[in-house]
Amino acid sequence: MDASQLALRVHAAALRLGLTVEAADELTEAVQPDLDQVVAERDGLLAERARYVGVEPAIAAELKRGWLAAHEVCDAAERQALQWEQPLPVPEWVGAVRTALDGPGGGMRVRWVEGCEAGANSAVPEVLGGGTHWEG
């Protein structure tokens, strides 16, 4: 809806409220600059919103790919250590990386992936004050 359409609506509303045609015309002329400004601001906001629509799922998908790739590296290191007849110890970094990925309790893995697939920000880990804070 552009400013001229809004002006027509203002004019019609003024007539419905009982103003004379002349008074409705004067009111419409008086508010026209404001209507132009409102429409310009709305168009700017719509253009800015268009820049961000659809970005959240792409970010969530990228986070999920990185998260899964890190788990694959951990799984591969664990398999390589355990493949022998006399297994080698699993590298210490595997546990540290998994804790960082899954949270301290280790139960975040499935919920975090599901949250990323759904684009739910509440399941995405956030770094707060140098430590890791887990939500979800």
Side-chain angles (χ1 to χ4, degrees):
M1 180 176 299
D2 63 8
S4 63
Q5 292 171 324
L6 284 174
L8 289 173
R9 287 183 143 193
V10 168
H11 192 272
L15 292 174
R16 279 194 306 272
L17 290 173
L19 273 69
T20 65
V21 173
E22 294 80 21
D25 289 342
E26 287 178 27
L27 176 65
T28 304
E29 286 178 28
V31 298
Q32 187 66 46
D34 293 331
L35 296 176
D36 293 336
Q37 181 181 355
V38 167
V39 169
E41 287 177 19
R42 182 208 58 198
D43 291 345
L45 290 171
L46 289 174
E48 186 174 344
R49 183 187 75 173
R51 291 181 24 214
Y52 297 106
V53 171
V55 173
E56 297 87 0
I59 292 171
E62 188 63 29
L63 285 172
K64 178 184 173 186
R65 279 193 293 276
W67 185 84
L68 289 174
H71 265 290
E72 288 173 13
V73 170
C74 290
D75 293 344
E78 188 175 44
R79 278 192 308 273
Q80 186 175 14
L82 299 177
Q83 72 180 349
W84 309 106
E85 190 173 309
Q86 293 183 7
L88 300 171
V90 176
E92 291 180 21
W93 61 264
V94 171
V97 169
R98 283 194 173 139
T99 299
L101 291 170
D102 297 336
M108 292 296 293
R109 183 174 186 172
V110 173
R111 287 188 308 202
W112 196 84
V113 171
E114 289 173 356
C116 280
E117 288 173 351
N121 293 334
S122 64
V124 177
E126 296 178 358
V127 177
L128 300 173
T132 303
H133 171 72
W134 297 91
E135 296 182 359

